[in-house]
PDB file of all heavy atoms in Angstrom:
ATOM      1  N   VAL W   1     -57.179  15.978  22.258  1.00  0.00           N
ATOM      2  CA  VAL W   1     -56.945  16.299  20.826  1.00  0.00           C
ATOM      3  C   VAL W   1     -58.199  15.901  20.064  1.00  0.00           C
ATOM      4  O   VAL W   1     -58.628  14.740  20.116  1.00  0.00           O
ATOM      5  CB  VAL W   1     -55.730  15.570  20.269  1.00  0.00           C
ATOM      6  CG1 VAL W   1     -55.561  15.916  18.787  1.00  0.00           C
ATOM      7  CG2 VAL W   1     -54.453  15.926  21.070  1.00  0.00           C
ATOM      8  N   GLY W   2     -58.806  16.857  19.369  1.00  0.00           N
ATOM      9  CA  GLY W   2     -59.997  16.580  18.572  1.00  0.00           C
ATOM     10  C   GLY W   2     -59.687  16.739  17.074  1.00  0.00           C
ATOM     11  O   GLY W   2     -59.021  17.698  16.687  1.00  0.00           O
ATOM     12  N   ILE W   3     -60.152  15.760  16.312  1.00  0.00           N
ATOM     13  CA  ILE W   3     -59.936  15.773  14.857  1.00  0.00           C
ATOM     14  C   ILE W   3     -61.270  15.940  14.139  1.00  0.00           C
ATOM     15  O   ILE W   3     -62.218  15.186  14.396  1.00  0.00           O
ATOM     16  CB  ILE W   3     -59.291  14.471  14.388  1.00  0.00           C
ATOM     17  CG1 ILE W   3     -57.982  14.190  15.148  1.00  0.00           C
ATOM     18  CG2 ILE W   3     -59.038  14.499  12.872  1.00  0.00           C
ATOM     19  CD1 ILE W   3     -56.902  15.194  14.942  1.00  0.00           C
ATOM     20  N   CYS W   4     -61.371  16.921  13.229  1.00  0.00           N
ATOM     21  CA  CYS W   4     -62.556  17.197  12.409  1.00  0.00           C
ATOM     22  C   CYS W   4     -63.780  17.395  13.316  1.00  0.00           C
ATOM     23  O   CYS W   4     -63.902  18.412  13.969  1.00  0.00           O
ATOM     24  CB  CYS W   4     -62.761  16.088  11.375  1.00  0.00           C
ATOM     25  SG  CYS W   4     -63.951  16.576  10.077  1.00  0.00           S
ATOM     26  N   PHE W   5     -64.701  16.417  13.386  1.00  0.00           N
ATOM     27  CA  PHE W   5     -65.842  16.529  14.297  1.00  0.00           C
ATOM     28  C   PHE W   5     -65.347  16.779  15.717  1.00  0.00           C
ATOM     29  O   PHE W   5     -65.946  17.576  16.468  1.00  0.00           O
ATOM     30  CB  PHE W   5     -66.660  15.233  14.244  1.00  0.00           C
ATOM     31  CG  PHE W   5     -67.755  15.155  15.263  1.00  0.00           C
ATOM     32  CD1 PHE W   5     -69.033  15.620  14.996  1.00  0.00           C
ATOM     33  CD2 PHE W   5     -67.495  14.562  16.507  1.00  0.00           C
ATOM     34  CE1 PHE W   5     -70.029  15.522  15.959  1.00  0.00           C
ATOM     35  CE2 PHE W   5     -68.492  14.460  17.463  1.00  0.00           C
ATOM     36  CZ  PHE W   5     -69.767  14.946  17.190  1.00  0.00           C
ATOM     37  N   GLY W   6     -64.270  16.106  16.125  1.00  0.00           N
ATOM     38  CA  GLY W   6     -63.727  16.302  17.453  1.00  0.00           C
ATOM     39  C   GLY W   6     -63.217  17.716  17.662  1.00  0.00           C
ATOM     40  O   GLY W   6     -63.362  18.299  18.760  1.00  0.00           O
ATOM     41  N   HIS W   7     -62.585  18.286  16.640  1.00  0.00           N
ATOM     42  CA  HIS W   7     -62.147  19.703  16.671  1.00  0.00           C
ATOM     43  C   HIS W   7     -63.345  20.619  16.839  1.00  0.00           C
ATOM     44  O   HIS W   7     -63.323  21.545  17.659  1.00  0.00           O
ATOM     45  CB  HIS W   7     -61.415  19.921  15.342  1.00  0.00           C
ATOM     46  CG  HIS W   7     -61.163  21.348  14.981  1.00  0.00           C
ATOM     47  ND1 HIS W   7     -60.140  22.082  15.488  1.00  0.00           N
ATOM     48  CD2 HIS W   7     -61.803  22.160  14.090  1.00  0.00           C
ATOM     49  CE1 HIS W   7     -60.109  23.286  14.931  1.00  0.00           C
ATOM     50  NE2 HIS W   7     -61.121  23.378  14.077  1.00  0.00           N
ATOM     51  N   GLN W   8     -64.388  20.352  16.080  1.00  0.00           N
ATOM     52  CA  GLN W   8     -65.605  21.166  16.181  1.00  0.00           C
ATOM     53  C   GLN W   8     -66.289  21.004  17.521  1.00  0.00           C
ATOM     54  O   GLN W   8     -66.858  21.961  18.066  1.00  0.00           O
ATOM     55  CB  GLN W   8     -66.534  20.810  15.015  1.00  0.00           C
ATOM     56  CG  GLN W   8     -65.965  21.127  13.659  1.00  0.00           C
ATOM     57  CD  GLN W   8     -66.603  20.341  12.534  1.00  0.00           C
ATOM     58  OE1 GLN W   8     -67.670  19.759  12.709  1.00  0.00           O
ATOM     59  NE2 GLN W   8     -65.959  20.300  11.376  1.00  0.00           N
ATOM     60  N   MET W   9     -66.280  19.766  18.062  1.00  0.00           N
ATOM     61  CA  MET W   9     -66.859  19.516  19.370  1.00  0.00           C
ATOM     62  C   MET W   9     -66.155  20.330  20.448  1.00  0.00           C
ATOM     63  O   MET W   9     -66.768  20.894  21.351  1.00  0.00           O
ATOM     64  CB  MET W   9     -66.821  18.028  19.686  1.00  0.00           C
ATOM     65  CG  MET W   9     -67.273  17.653  21.080  1.00  0.00           C
ATOM     66  SD  MET W   9     -68.927  18.286  21.533  1.00  0.00           S
ATOM     67  CE  MET W   9     -69.958  17.388  20.365  1.00  0.00           C
ATOM     68  N   ILE W  10     -64.835  20.386  20.378  1.00  0.00           N
ATOM     69  CA  ILE W  10     -64.049  21.203  21.305  1.00  0.00           C
ATOM     70  C   ILE W  10     -64.504  22.660  21.189  1.00  0.00           C
ATOM     71  O   ILE W  10     -64.753  23.337  22.203  1.00  0.00           O
ATOM     72  CB  ILE W  10     -62.545  21.068  21.008  1.00  0.00           C
ATOM     73  CG1 ILE W  10     -62.032  19.709  21.515  1.00  0.00           C
ATOM     74  CG2 ILE W  10     -61.742  22.210  21.642  1.00  0.00           C
ATOM     75  CD1 ILE W  10     -60.618  19.377  21.037  1.00  0.00           C
ATOM     76  N   GLY W  11     -64.625  23.144  19.941  1.00  0.00           N
ATOM     77  CA  GLY W  11     -65.040  24.522  19.722  1.00  0.00           C
ATOM     78  C   GLY W  11     -66.387  24.809  20.338  1.00  0.00           C
ATOM     79  O   GLY W  11     -66.588  25.816  21.051  1.00  0.00           O
ATOM     80  N   GLN W  12     -67.368  23.929  20.094  1.00  0.00           N
ATOM     81  CA  GLN W  12     -68.713  24.159  20.585  1.00  0.00           C
ATOM     82  C   GLN W  12     -68.801  24.001  22.091  1.00  0.00           C
ATOM     83  O   GLN W  12     -69.401  24.820  22.796  1.00  0.00           O
ATOM     84  CB  GLN W  12     -69.683  23.184  19.920  1.00  0.00           C
ATOM     85  CG  GLN W  12     -71.114  23.286  20.407  1.00  0.00           C
ATOM     86  CD  GLN W  12     -72.078  22.474  19.557  1.00  0.00           C
ATOM     87  OE1 GLN W  12     -72.361  22.842  18.413  1.00  0.00           O
ATOM     88  NE2 GLN W  12     -72.549  21.357  20.080  1.00  0.00           N
ATOM     89  N   ALA W  13     -68.208  22.922  22.639  1.00  0.00           N
ATOM     90  CA  ALA W  13     -68.311  22.664  24.060  1.00  0.00           C
ATOM     91  C   ALA W  13     -67.652  23.738  24.908  1.00  0.00           C
ATOM     92  O   ALA W  13     -68.104  23.997  26.061  1.00  0.00           O
ATOM     93  CB  ALA W  13     -67.671  21.299  24.369  1.00  0.00           C
ATOM     94  N   LEU W  14     -66.622  24.386  24.380  1.00  0.00           N
ATOM     95  CA  LEU W  14     -65.902  25.373  25.182  1.00  0.00           C
ATOM     96  C   LEU W  14     -66.316  26.802  24.876  1.00  0.00           C
ATOM     97  O   LEU W  14     -65.625  27.747  25.265  1.00  0.00           O
ATOM     98  CB  LEU W  14     -64.384  25.182  24.954  1.00  0.00           C
ATOM     99  CG  LEU W  14     -63.846  23.806  25.413  1.00  0.00           C
ATOM    100  CD1 LEU W  14     -62.348  23.735  25.263  1.00  0.00           C
ATOM    101  CD2 LEU W  14     -64.242  23.498  26.859  1.00  0.00           C
ATOM    102  N   GLY W  15     -67.444  26.962  24.176  1.00  0.00           N
ATOM    103  CA  GLY W  15     -68.032  28.287  24.041  1.00  0.00           C
ATOM    104  C   GLY W  15     -67.951  28.933  22.690  1.00  0.00           C
ATOM    105  O   GLY W  15     -68.325  30.087  22.529  1.00  0.00           O
ATOM    106  N   GLY W  16     -67.510  28.191  21.651  1.00  0.00           N
ATOM    107  CA  GLY W  16     -67.482  28.734  20.315  1.00  0.00           C
ATOM    108  C   GLY W  16     -68.747  28.375  19.537  1.00  0.00           C
ATOM    109  O   GLY W  16     -69.727  27.942  20.107  1.00  0.00           O
ATOM    110  N   ARG W  17     -68.658  28.517  18.220  1.00  0.00           N
ATOM    111  CA  ARG W  17     -69.813  28.241  17.378  1.00  0.00           C
ATOM    112  C   ARG W  17     -69.360  27.455  16.154  1.00  0.00           C
ATOM    113  O   ARG W  17     -68.315  27.763  15.545  1.00  0.00           O
ATOM    114  CB  ARG W  17     -70.492  29.534  16.941  1.00  0.00           C
ATOM    115  CG  ARG W  17     -71.788  29.318  16.148  1.00  0.00           C
ATOM    116  CD  ARG W  17     -72.482  30.659  15.850  1.00  0.00           C
ATOM    117  NE  ARG W  17     -73.695  30.470  15.091  1.00  0.00           N
ATOM    118  CZ  ARG W  17     -74.887  30.184  15.613  1.00  0.00           C
ATOM    119  NH1 ARG W  17     -74.983  30.024  16.928  1.00  0.00           N
ATOM    120  NH2 ARG W  17     -75.968  30.034  14.859  1.00  0.00           N
ATOM    121  N   VAL W  18     -70.143  26.466  15.779  1.00  0.00           N
ATOM    122  CA  VAL W  18     -69.879  25.636  14.597  1.00  0.00           C
ATOM    123  C   VAL W  18     -71.088  25.712  13.677  1.00  0.00           C
ATOM    124  O   VAL W  18     -72.226  25.623  14.117  1.00  0.00           O
ATOM    125  CB  VAL W  18     -69.621  24.164  15.013  1.00  0.00           C
ATOM    126  CG1 VAL W  18     -69.441  23.290  13.768  1.00  0.00           C
ATOM    127  CG2 VAL W  18     -68.402  24.073  15.921  1.00  0.00           C
ATOM    128  N   GLU W  19     -70.792  25.889  12.377  1.00  0.00           N
ATOM    129  CA  GLU W  19     -71.892  26.037  11.395  1.00  0.00           C
ATOM    130  C   GLU W  19     -71.506  25.360  10.088  1.00  0.00           C
ATOM    131  O   GLU W  19     -70.316  25.046   9.852  1.00  0.00           O
ATOM    132  CB  GLU W  19     -72.173  27.512  11.117  1.00  0.00           C
ATOM    133  CG  GLU W  19     -72.673  28.275  12.334  1.00  0.00           C
ATOM    134  CD  GLU W  19     -72.824  29.760  12.027  1.00  0.00           C
ATOM    135  OE1 GLU W  19     -71.810  30.476  11.977  1.00  0.00           O
ATOM    136  OE2 GLU W  19     -73.973  30.182  11.836  1.00  0.00           O
ATOM    137  N   ARG W  20     -72.509  25.128   9.256  1.00  0.00           N
ATOM    138  CA  ARG W  20     -72.222  24.661   7.895  1.00  0.00           C
ATOM    139  C   ARG W  20     -71.409  25.729   7.164  1.00  0.00           C
ATOM    140  O   ARG W  20     -71.764  26.886   7.161  1.00  0.00           O
ATOM    141  CB  ARG W  20     -73.558  24.404   7.174  1.00  0.00           C
ATOM    142  CG  ARG W  20     -73.464  23.749   5.814  1.00  0.00           C
ATOM    143  CD  ARG W  20     -72.851  22.385   5.853  1.00  0.00           C
ATOM    144  NE  ARG W  20     -73.410  21.457   6.807  1.00  0.00           N
ATOM    145  CZ  ARG W  20     -74.422  20.614   6.564  1.00  0.00           C
ATOM    146  NH1 ARG W  20     -75.033  20.640   5.378  1.00  0.00           N
ATOM    147  NH2 ARG W  20     -74.869  19.788   7.504  1.00  0.00           N
ATOM    148  N   TRP W  21     -70.284  25.315   6.579  1.00  0.00           N
ATOM    149  CA  TRP W  21     -69.337  26.261   6.000  1.00  0.00           C
ATOM    150  C   TRP W  21     -69.897  26.813   4.675  1.00  0.00           C
ATOM    151  O   TRP W  21     -70.282  26.043   3.801  1.00  0.00           O
ATOM    152  CB  TRP W  21     -67.998  25.569   5.773  1.00  0.00           C
ATOM    153  CG  TRP W  21     -66.873  26.485   5.498  1.00  0.00           C
ATOM    154  CD1 TRP W  21     -66.049  26.501   4.418  1.00  0.00           C
ATOM    155  CD2 TRP W  21     -66.369  27.511   6.374  1.00  0.00           C
ATOM    156  NE1 TRP W  21     -65.090  27.468   4.533  1.00  0.00           N
ATOM    157  CE2 TRP W  21     -65.267  28.107   5.729  1.00  0.00           C
ATOM    158  CE3 TRP W  21     -66.764  27.989   7.616  1.00  0.00           C
ATOM    159  CZ2 TRP W  21     -64.549  29.186   6.288  1.00  0.00           C
ATOM    160  CZ3 TRP W  21     -66.045  29.033   8.187  1.00  0.00           C
ATOM    161  CH2 TRP W  21     -64.969  29.616   7.520  1.00  0.00           C
ATOM    162  N   PRO W  22     -69.933  28.143   4.522  1.00  0.00           N
ATOM    163  CA  PRO W  22     -70.546  28.725   3.335  1.00  0.00           C
ATOM    164  C   PRO W  22     -69.799  28.414   2.028  1.00  0.00           C
ATOM    165  O   PRO W  22     -70.375  28.500   0.951  1.00  0.00           O
ATOM    166  CB  PRO W  22     -70.535  30.225   3.637  1.00  0.00           C
ATOM    167  CG  PRO W  22     -69.518  30.436   4.683  1.00  0.00           C
ATOM    168  CD  PRO W  22     -69.532  29.184   5.498  1.00  0.00           C
ATOM    169  N   LEU W  23     -68.534  28.055   2.098  1.00  0.00           N
ATOM    170  CA  LEU W  23     -67.759  27.735   0.909  1.00  0.00           C
ATOM    171  C   LEU W  23     -67.946  26.313   0.449  1.00  0.00           C
ATOM    172  O   LEU W  23     -67.352  25.872  -0.541  1.00  0.00           O
ATOM    173  CB  LEU W  23     -66.269  28.035   1.117  1.00  0.00           C
ATOM    174  CG  LEU W  23     -65.905  29.502   1.375  1.00  0.00           C
ATOM    175  CD1 LEU W  23     -64.411  29.647   1.568  1.00  0.00           C
ATOM    176  CD2 LEU W  23     -66.399  30.385   0.244  1.00  0.00           C
ATOM    177  N   GLY W  24     -68.762  25.525   1.167  1.00  0.00           N
ATOM    178  CA  GLY W  24     -69.092  24.179   0.746  1.00  0.00           C
ATOM    179  C   GLY W  24     -68.149  23.137   1.333  1.00  0.00           C
ATOM    180  O   GLY W  24     -67.445  23.364   2.327  1.00  0.00           O
ATOM    181  N   TRP W  25     -68.173  21.973   0.709  1.00  0.00           N
ATOM    182  CA  TRP W  25     -67.391  20.846   1.167  1.00  0.00           C
ATOM    183  C   TRP W  25     -65.889  21.108   1.110  1.00  0.00           C
ATOM    184  O   TRP W  25     -65.379  21.683   0.118  1.00  0.00           O
ATOM    185  CB  TRP W  25     -67.664  19.628   0.277  1.00  0.00           C
ATOM    186  CG  TRP W  25     -68.870  18.833   0.693  1.00  0.00           C
ATOM    187  CD1 TRP W  25     -70.143  18.972   0.234  1.00  0.00           C
ATOM    188  CD2 TRP W  25     -68.916  17.730   1.618  1.00  0.00           C
ATOM    189  NE1 TRP W  25     -70.983  18.046   0.819  1.00  0.00           N
ATOM    190  CE2 TRP W  25     -70.233  17.259   1.669  1.00  0.00           C
ATOM    191  CE3 TRP W  25     -67.938  17.080   2.392  1.00  0.00           C
ATOM    192  CZ2 TRP W  25     -70.613  16.205   2.479  1.00  0.00           C
ATOM    193  CZ3 TRP W  25     -68.321  16.016   3.199  1.00  0.00           C
ATOM    194  CH2 TRP W  25     -69.660  15.595   3.228  1.00  0.00           C
ATOM    195  N   GLY W  26     -65.195  20.697   2.138  1.00  0.00           N
ATOM    196  CA  GLY W  26     -63.747  20.646   2.110  1.00  0.00           C
ATOM    197  C   GLY W  26     -63.314  19.193   1.884  1.00  0.00           C
ATOM    198  O   GLY W  26     -63.591  18.335   2.723  1.00  0.00           O
ATOM    199  N   VAL W  27     -62.718  18.906   0.747  1.00  0.00           N
ATOM    200  CA  VAL W  27     -62.332  17.537   0.396  1.00  0.00           C
ATOM    201  C   VAL W  27     -60.955  17.556  -0.271  1.00  0.00           C
ATOM    202  O   VAL W  27     -60.532  18.580  -0.846  1.00  0.00           O
ATOM    203  CB  VAL W  27     -63.357  16.844  -0.519  1.00  0.00           C
ATOM    204  CG1 VAL W  27     -64.582  16.413   0.248  1.00  0.00           C
ATOM    205  CG2 VAL W  27     -63.759  17.740  -1.684  1.00  0.00           C
ATOM    206  N   GLY W  28     -60.265  16.428  -0.240  1.00  0.00           N
ATOM    207  CA  GLY W  28     -58.962  16.349  -0.860  1.00  0.00           C
ATOM    208  C   GLY W  28     -57.869  16.817   0.070  1.00  0.00           C
ATOM    209  O   GLY W  28     -58.103  17.112   1.242  1.00  0.00           O
ATOM    210  N   ILE W  29     -56.673  16.899  -0.460  1.00  0.00           N
ATOM    211  CA  ILE W  29     -55.507  17.341   0.334  1.00  0.00           C
ATOM    212  C   ILE W  29     -55.354  18.852   0.212  1.00  0.00           C
ATOM    213  O   ILE W  29     -55.244  19.398  -0.909  1.00  0.00           O
ATOM    214  CB  ILE W  29     -54.222  16.633  -0.143  1.00  0.00           C
ATOM    215  CG1 ILE W  29     -54.380  15.106   0.060  1.00  0.00           C
ATOM    216  CG2 ILE W  29     -52.996  17.153   0.592  1.00  0.00           C
ATOM    217  CD1 ILE W  29     -53.220  14.299  -0.491  1.00  0.00           C
ATOM    218  N   HIS W  30     -55.369  19.520   1.340  1.00  0.00           N
ATOM    219  CA  HIS W  30     -55.255  20.985   1.395  1.00  0.00           C
ATOM    220  C   HIS W  30     -53.924  21.374   2.021  1.00  0.00           C
ATOM    221  O   HIS W  30     -53.333  20.655   2.791  1.00  0.00           O
ATOM    222  CB  HIS W  30     -56.406  21.584   2.244  1.00  0.00           C
ATOM    223  CG  HIS W  30     -57.719  21.564   1.551  1.00  0.00           C
ATOM    224  ND1 HIS W  30     -58.483  22.696   1.392  1.00  0.00           N
ATOM    225  CD2 HIS W  30     -58.411  20.568   0.967  1.00  0.00           C
ATOM    226  CE1 HIS W  30     -59.609  22.401   0.766  1.00  0.00           C
ATOM    227  NE2 HIS W  30     -59.586  21.112   0.515  1.00  0.00           N
TER     228      HIS W  30
END
């Protein structure tokens, strides 16, 4: 189970792509 960076690490390590999000920072409760 990967959380935030861990989630992105799963995506990258298993063949996906991670990038700086064009909509900017995600902060607060969504």
Side-chain angles (χ1 to χ4, degrees):
V1 178
I3 305 296
C4 195
F5 172 91
H7 165 81
Q8 297 158 16
M9 174 54 64
I10 286 169
Q12 177 170 288
L14 298 184
R17 185 176 180 84
V18 176
E19 297 175 284
R20 188 60 53 88
W21 194 239
L23 296 181
W25 275 92
V27 284
I29 298 175
H30 286 233

